[in-house]
Amino acid sequence: MRHILRADQFDHDELARLFGRAIFFMEQDQHIKTRRNTLKLHQGRIMVSMFYEPSTRTRFSFEIAAAKLGMAVIGTENAAEFSSAAKGETIEDTVRVLNEYGVDAICMRTKEDGHAARAAAVSNVAIINGGDGKAEHPTQAVLDAYTIYQKFGRLDTLQVVMGGDLAHGRTVRSLAKLLSTYKNNHIIFISTPELQMSADVLKYLDKNGTTYEQTDDIEKAFTGADVVYWTRLQLERHSDAKLAHGTQAFTIDKSTLRYLPKKAIIMHPLPRVNEIAAEVDKDPRAVYFKQAGNGLYVRMAMLDAILKELP
Ligand code: ASP
C-alpha cells in the first residue's frame, strides 16, 4: 500500500506523472461535462478526512479533490476534540478501527511529528500525511514543486530563498528536502538565529550535495533569486514573544521587492498573517493564491494515483 508520508518519497518520474495528471484534472474541471466524467473515476471509494489541527487549504482541497473524483468523504475537522483522541485513544487504535470500515484512504493532519508514519505502520489503508507537527507536509511540497515547475519548466538549477519561521515550519522542511533531490539548486535560508532551519534538514542537504546559506540579509538574498518562499511565525508551536519580535524585520513589502528579479516568483503556503504586505498581492511575481489553487489539482492527481493501485 502506498502511503504519502514524506516529500522525498517521490521519484522524479513519479512527480512528472503527477504534474501531467494535475494538468489533466485542471482541464477537466473547466466544463461541467468533463467534470462529470471525472466524477465517474472513483465512485464507490471513501476518503476519511481527520484533522487534529486547524486547516483551510489542505482539508478543503483534499475534500474537494475527493468529491470531484466521485469519492465520498467522511471526516472531522476537529479530531482532537471530536474523536476518541479526546479520551486518550492512540493514533494507532483510531486507524486500526478505521481500517475495519472498508475505507480507501485516510487523510490526516496531526499535532505531533511522526504521527502519520505511526498511523501508516498499522494501516492497510493509504495514509496521506496532511502535515504532522513541524516535521513534514509532503503534499504541500508536491504542489509547491508543481508551482515552481509551472513557472520555470524545471526543478533544478534554481536559487530558492526560504524565509520566516524555518525552525517550526513543516512546509519549508519538506520543500527543501524535495528540491535537494534535484541537481544544482541553491537555497538561501533567511531568519533570526533562533528560528533558522534545523540541523537535520541542513544535514540532509549536505548529504545530497545541495548548497545553502543562512543569513538575515534580505537584500542580498533576493538579488538573483528565482523563487522566494515566505512563511509565517508558527505561534502554535512556540509562544516566545521575543522570537516573534525578531522576525518582524522579515516582512515583504513593496520596498523589499526592489531587490527581486522580474523573473522571480513569490510563494507562501498560506495562511499569510503580516509577513507579506497586502500591497504585494498585486505584483505579478506574487503567485501564492495560484499556488493554493494548484493544490486542488495536484491533490486530485495524488488521490487518483493511490486509488488506481487498489484492487
Ligand atoms: N498551511 C501550512 C501548514 O499547515 C503553513 C502554515 O500553517 O503556516 O503547515
Side-chain angles (χ1 to χ4, degrees), residues 57-58 109 130 137 140 170-171 232 234 236 268-271:
R57 280 144 290 272
T58 306
R109 166 167 293 181
H137 198 342
Q140 176 76 43
R170 54 194 166 205
T171 66
R232 74 180 169 94
Q234 307 280 309
E236 68 272 44
H268 193 302
L270 304 178

Side-chain angles (χ1 to χ4, degrees), residues 46-51 59 63 72-79 82-83 98 103 105-107:
I46 296 178
M47 182 182 87
V48 169
S49 166
M50 206 164 50
F51 280 70
R59 188 173 71 81
E63 294 189 4
V73 179
I74 311 289
T76 169
E77 60 190 346
N78 186 355
F82 299 142
S83 78
L98 291 172
V103 300
I106 302 170
C107 178

